[in-house]
Amino acid sequence: MGLDKFTYDNGIVRKFGIATMLWGVVGMLVGVIIATQLFAPALNFGIPYLTFGRIRPLHTNAVIFAFVGNAIFMGIYHSLQRLCKARMFSDMLSTFHFWGWQLIIVAAAISLPLGLTTSKEYAELEWPIDIAITLVWVAFGINMFGTIIKRRESHMYVAIWFYIATWVTVAVLHIVNSIELPVAFMKSYPIYAGVQDALVQWWYGHNAVAFFLTTPYLGLMYYYLPKAANRPVYSYRLSIIHFWALIFIYIWAGPHHLLYSALPDWAQSLGTVFSIMLIAPSWGGMINGLLTLRGAWDRVREDAILKFMVVAITAYGMATFEGPMLSLKNVNALAHFTDWIVSHVHVGALGWNGFLTFGILYWLIPKLYNTNLHSKKLANLHFWIGTLGIVFYASSMYWSGVTQSLMWKQFTPLGVLQYPNFLETVLQIVPMYVIRAIGGTLYLGGMIIMVYNLGMTIKAGKFVAEEPAEAPALIKPKDQFKKGSRHRWLEGRPIQFLVASLVVILIGGIVEFVPTFLVQSNIPTIASVKPYTPLELEGRDLYIREGCVSCHSQLVRPFRSETERYGEYSKAGEYVYDHPFLWGSKRTGPDLHREGGKYPNQWHYLHMENPRSMSPGSLMPPYPWLLENSLDVSNLESKINVMRSLGVPYADGYENQALSDLNSQAEIIALDLQKSGVPAEPDKEIIALIAYLQRLGTDIKGNQTASTNGTVK
């Protein structure tokens, strides 16, 4: 049989590799900045675009979608060609994918600091960018499946299974979670509200971790670890069990992010049960990876690449054990809303994603440039500095999380909260925030060493843009679909594999979504809960713009320590008009769901102008621009119309009256402030934000719903 001669496209691999290094440094740098702002808020220099709330999503998006995303594409474009013995299906689609993805990253880097955000964690980008993501993802899928279909290997290697599951699941997650109605260019409201929005968001958020940060990296592990160790994968059968069990179980676990919330108990229980089950396939993959190193462990002492990969797989094992433990209600009650979760997330991101990426880069770049790594000593230095950075970061956040949670829950012998002032619990953990920033700086320093080391490697080598290869033409597999060879049959048929993966990942989502959306008793309504007034609606959008949800939750859990501190626990029916939900996932500041009526308008005005004037020692940044900026009401009519189309009961034609009602309520608040000696003007943004804050949690207090002002019919 003759051999086909062809070339591998290394150019696209190099582009994604360089982008990985560039965005990795940028993402980690922003992380160090916001970590420092937590104990030194003045480091935003009074600039709105640099405040914690606005650039925290910039950090998460840069690390997840820019750093990790580019690393995924780098690894897939390199490994897929070799696993399929074929050049990528289309060079044009490869180029479109690369530049399209970079433009999306740039759009995120511009829009998020401007406050243009949906506020939904890991899905903050507004609708025009969501559409661009969809187009680029489809182009990537066509290119990937075109390559798989024209392959010269009869069966698909395990890495390709994970690539397929990644593509199809991320497509489903992105589309379902991003369904929203535009209000204007770069402003939209999700079609889901309250509890339903929370369920969809954390189904997406949890599985973004699963299918963007985990499954593609498992595919990369199955390809690059055997290459680096020069050993075959330990167990083919274990990889089959690992793959199918993982993608089936993972999709069910999202509700464990909403324990003790207003989500129905049955959904919370499903999330817990499947999270515990998830340990088995996750550790199956970890064991398969570590045992692949059998006979090569002696090399780990000297080989920096293997060191990075071993620690990465170990971090994967730690994170996938800790995650299920955190889904237990008793552990979750202690850890949720604290820095413990921050530590858990960063063990995965810095250890699993970061270190596996570094190992791959150190292995791949010298091969692309047909040379040796510039300095093995620098690579080892990077490894130890990075490891030390993770230890500093994770240990300080574990300590901080446990400390703060215990302080939140501590009662005196007289039965009252020992630390009723939330600020006391924050100031206690400031030293941990400093240690965290040091850990992040060490990790960033290691990355800069890597960039220098690989830069010198590139300089010394000669890039092989078109790598020659040859392979015999594809012989169609003749496996029969029968017991004992069914998976072998499936491995030779990419379309059937795609369909099977799609069916498996859809089951969990359908079982959880359908009852929550269709059974009315799951979300009991409350008659006294009314839609937001136009001014409150504008204030809510300011709350979203400033990223307040990054530090403040709006979910009082049914614990005595929380009802004593904040008031009545939160009910599902209170959120029925919340597009989007704003429960948050971290309490750097106190919960705000019962904030309405707690303080006078004057307190809020002065607190936003300078938080330390009202709360001495506060670490919250000031927001003086809210006192100076005039409220933009140009989209008010559209907002009312969109909300009505989403089911919020504004009367027909109310959009024509909304501005008048907004001005009337603003005048009342401004007059109250002026009586208190505050020179407030009714057309400023601060007035709208105060209106929103004063409304929070008041609907269920019966006679305290005056903020609706009788204007909403």
Side-chain angles (χ1 to χ4, degrees), residues 289-473:
L290 291 177
L291 290 182
T292 297
L293 288 165
R294 68 198 185 286
W297 281 100
D298 58 309
R299 290 173 49 202
V300 177
R301 289 197 301 268
E302 305 294 334
D303 191 331
I305 294 171
L306 290 182
K307 285 180 188 173
F308 276 115
M309 292 185 173
V310 167
V311 172
I313 296 168
T314 306
Y316 171 65
M318 290 171 60
T320 53
F321 175 77
E322 187 184 16
M325 293 302 102
L326 288 168
S327 72
L328 295 172
K329 276 197 160 184
N330 50 349
V331 181
N332 187 275
L334 180 71
H336 195 55
F337 286 136
T338 76
D339 287 315
W340 185 336
I341 306 303
V342 177
S343 184
H344 167 61
V345 169
H346 282 79
V347 167
L350 302 178
W352 166 234
N353 298 115
F355 269 34
L356 192 62
T357 301
F358 303 149
I360 293 170
L361 283 168
Y362 280 123
W363 184 88
L364 180 59
I365 296 296
K367 286 180 171 50
L368 292 180
Y369 283 84
N370 197 24
T371 185
N372 295 319
L373 183 64
H374 169 67
S375 171
K376 292 180 180 178
K377 287 185 178 179
L378 284 179
N380 277 298
L381 178 64
H382 174 196
F383 170 79
W384 288 112
I385 289 179
T387 302
L388 196 61
I390 294 174
V391 170
F392 269 57
Y393 194 109
S395 59
S396 62
M397 288 298 92
Y398 283 130
W399 191 281
S400 166
V402 173
T403 300
Q404 192 169 35
S405 185
L406 292 178
M407 292 180 75
W408 290 347
K409 296 175 183 298
Q410 186 64 43
F411 283 86
T412 69
L414 296 176
V416 297
L417 287 171
Q418 182 160 349
Y419 305 101
N421 184 354
F422 188 92
L423 185 57
E424 285 182 272
T425 71
V426 176
L427 297 179
Q428 190 69 30
I429 58 178
V430 166
M432 298 300 110
Y433 284 167
V434 175
I435 295 173
R436 170 167 77 170
I438 293 172
T441 304
L442 287 171
Y443 195 88
L444 174 62
M447 290 186 70
I448 292 172
I449 291 172
M450 178 193 72
V451 171
Y452 169 77
N453 199 4
L454 293 179
M456 295 303 292
T457 303
I458 290 170
K459 188 177 178 182
K462 184 176 181 181
F463 180 57
V464 184
E466 299 288 335
E467 184 177 329
E470 58 184 27

Side-chain angles (χ1 to χ4, degrees), residues 169-233:
T169 313
V170 169
V172 172
L173 293 170
H174 177 67
I175 291 171
V176 173
N177 192 48
S178 301
I179 301 177
E180 52 214 1
L181 290 186
V183 170
F185 181 64
M186 300 301 284
K187 179 62 186 175
S188 63
Y189 294 132
I191 65 167
Y192 318 106
V195 172
Q196 294 162 346
D197 193 35
L199 177 62
V200 173
Q201 161 59 21
W202 282 112
W203 166 81
Y204 164 87
H206 179 78
N207 289 303
V209 173
F211 290 90
F212 201 84
L213 300 179
T214 303
T215 54
Y217 267 66
L218 288 169
L220 299 182
M221 179 195 78
Y222 275 115
Y223 180 80
Y224 288 102
L225 181 63
K227 287 287 184 185
N230 198 25
R231 305 287 301 172
V233 169

Side-chain angles (χ1 to χ4, degrees), residues 112-125:
L112 291 173
L114 289 174
L116 303 172
T117 171
T118 66
S119 83
K120 300 180 76 168
E121 213 160 343
Y122 315 136
E124 292 91 347
L125 304 181

